Amino acid sequence: QVQLVESGGGLVQPGGSLRLSCAASGSLWSINAMGWFRQTPGKQREMVAKITSSGNTVYLDSVKGRFTVSRDNAKHTVYLQMNSLRPEDTAVYYCNGVSTTRDYWGQGTQVTVSS
């Protein structure tokens, strides 16, 4: 089993920045990739950014150049640095861990971009 705990969400003005953190614990050897998804009411959860165990990254088109995903293997933590935030980035952000057998999810953290 893997446990994921997010932190760092909150309210920010348009153009501002936030950094989300996801601390992982448990059977980390089984995890191949980690990333961030987001969801708004009435919409499907969408992948925002992903980073593999080898450090390769993938981003949602609308966040390229604004968001950066990174990982600190020593701290078992994945980060999402979000800059130039827009109102349409408002969502609940979920940390995701992918193993060969299943996905793991954190509890989610709210990000609200509003003036």
Side-chain angles (χ1 to χ4, degrees):
Q1 291 294 318
V2 173
Q3 295 77 43
L4 304 174
V5 179
E6 302 104 333
S7 60
L11 172 65
V12 64
Q13 292 187 341
S17 298
L18 280 176
R19 189 176 80 157
L20 305 182
S21 300
C22 173
S25 61
S27 303
L28 302 181
W29 56 267
S30 67
I31 298 298
N32 300 317
M34 293 190 69
W36 295 90
F37 284 66
R38 67 187 182 189
Q39 190 171 23
T40 54
K43 293 188 177 182
Q44 285 192 329
R45 195 171 293 189
E46 64 180 357
M47 191 278 293
V48 176
K50 182 187 298 184
I51 184 166
T52 68
S53 56
S54 58
N56 294 321
T57 57
V58 178
Y59 294 94
L60 179 69
D61 282 347
S62 63
V63 308
K64 286 180 181 177
R66 300 188 298 122
F67 291 10
T68 302
V69 62
S70 62
R71 60 194 297 165
D72 184 330
N73 291 329
K75 295 182 178 180
H76 308 304
T77 300
V78 175
Y79 303 98
L80 184 67
Q81 178 66 44
M82 305 185 293
N83 299 327
S84 302
L85 282 161
R86 305 168 180 169
E88 54 264 38
D89 295 318
T90 296
V92 177
Y93 284 70
Y94 295 90
C95 181
N96 168 257
V98 181
S99 75
T100 54
T101 56
R102 58 165 289 183
D103 281 24
Y104 295 92
W105 297 95
Q107 80 284 358
T109 185
Q110 177 71 45
V111 171
T112 302
V113 185
S114 175
S115 55

